[in-house]
Amino acid sequence: MVAMPESKMNASCDGEIVSPLKVKNGKLIRLTNIMTSDGCILSIGESQAHIPFEIKRFYYIYNFMNQGMIRGGHAHKSFEQVFFCLMGSLVFHLDDGTIQQDVEVNSPDRGVYVGPELWHDMIRIAKGSIIFVVASHAYSETDYIRDYQQFLAYIKK
Ligand code: T46
């Protein structure tokens, strides 16, 4: 847990931090929030407590000029990631090959965990959104499945 001078701290951590989604290998992440007496909020995430893997990489996606841009359109073979929307909002369209689920993310302390073999599209991304992603591995194109039919065949194996 992050230490903070008591004079600045005015309470409170959230209770539940991870909850499963209907799709396989999908979870909602809720960071621990600390409200300071000056009205700021610190949202805190730690590997294992909130992020279910050791973080090896992070990246941002931003500069969304138009409403309605789409990112994603793939699944990973083994990579795990958690997506946060630090500014703006978006909808995650998740598909495990059997179940589809849409999840809106519009608060910086909420994240979506996307595990292996889960097709994901980010849709309805609001103009000006900033998406922050933590990942379990360094970038490697060989972990991507970018064709939906190949994805369905891969998960049947
Ligand atoms: C994901 C979604 C939602 C790198 O060189 N290193 C990196 O860490 C990343 C993420 C990308 N790249 C290169 C690879 C491509 O030449 O950047 C270019 C665009 O990447 P990509 O087509 O994968 O972008 P998205 O937005 O489709 O996908 C990204 C992540 O790659 C992916 O893991 O889940 O965001």
Side-chain angles (χ1 to χ4, degrees):
M1 177 59 71
V2 175
M4 186 173 221
E6 265 188 35
S7 57
K8 282 201 170 176
M9 203 167 87
N10 189 14
S12 88
C13 304
D14 285 343
E16 178 199 34
I17 46 181
V18 178
S19 51
L21 293 171
K22 279 191 290 180
V23 288
K24 199 175 142 205
N25 293 345
K27 291 175 187 153
L28 271 186
I29 305 284
R30 192 163 75 180
L31 299 179
T32 297
N33 284 335
I34 295 182
M35 309 245 180
T36 64
S37 52
D38 54 8
C40 292
I41 303 172
L42 278 79
S43 294
I44 301 160
E46 294 184 355
S47 286
Q48 307 316 330
H50 310 81
I51 308 293
F53 51 82
E54 290 298 323
I55 298 165
K56 294 274 173 54
R57 173 172 54 113
F58 66 86
Y59 57 91
Y60 309 99
I61 313 173
Y62 55 101
N63 210 27
F64 293 99
M65 310 283 246
N66 306 307
Q67 195 83 23
M69 293 175 80
I70 294 177
R71 306 288 320 173
H74 58 256
H76 285 281
K77 293 175 188 165
S78 58
F79 286 7
E80 300 170 80
Q81 303 189 96
V82 178
F83 296 82
F84 296 95
C85 188
L86 300 186
M87 175 89 77
S89 64
L90 64 99
V91 171
F92 256 92
H93 178 71
L94 301 170
D95 179 347
D96 65 13
T98 306
I99 297 169
Q100 286 92 38
Q101 186 170 13
D102 283 354
V103 181
E104 185 169 20
V105 189
N106 56 13
S107 178
D109 64 344
R110 304 297 157 109
V112 177
Y113 166 83
V114 177
E117 302 183 8
L118 184 55
W119 189 268
H120 51 286
D121 291 294
M122 293 187 284
I123 60 174
R124 286 188 250 147
I125 306 171
K127 189 176 166 185
S129 292
I130 301 176
I131 299 164
F132 175 67
V133 189
V134 293
S136 61
H137 291 76
Y139 177 78
S140 170
E141 186 59 33
T142 59
D143 197 72
Y144 284 73
I145 307 170
R146 294 191 186 267
D147 178 275
Y148 188 71
Q149 294 309 317
Q150 281 177 14
F151 163 69
L152 292 179
Y154 185 86
I155 59 173
K156 274 203 191 120
K157 281 192 297 143

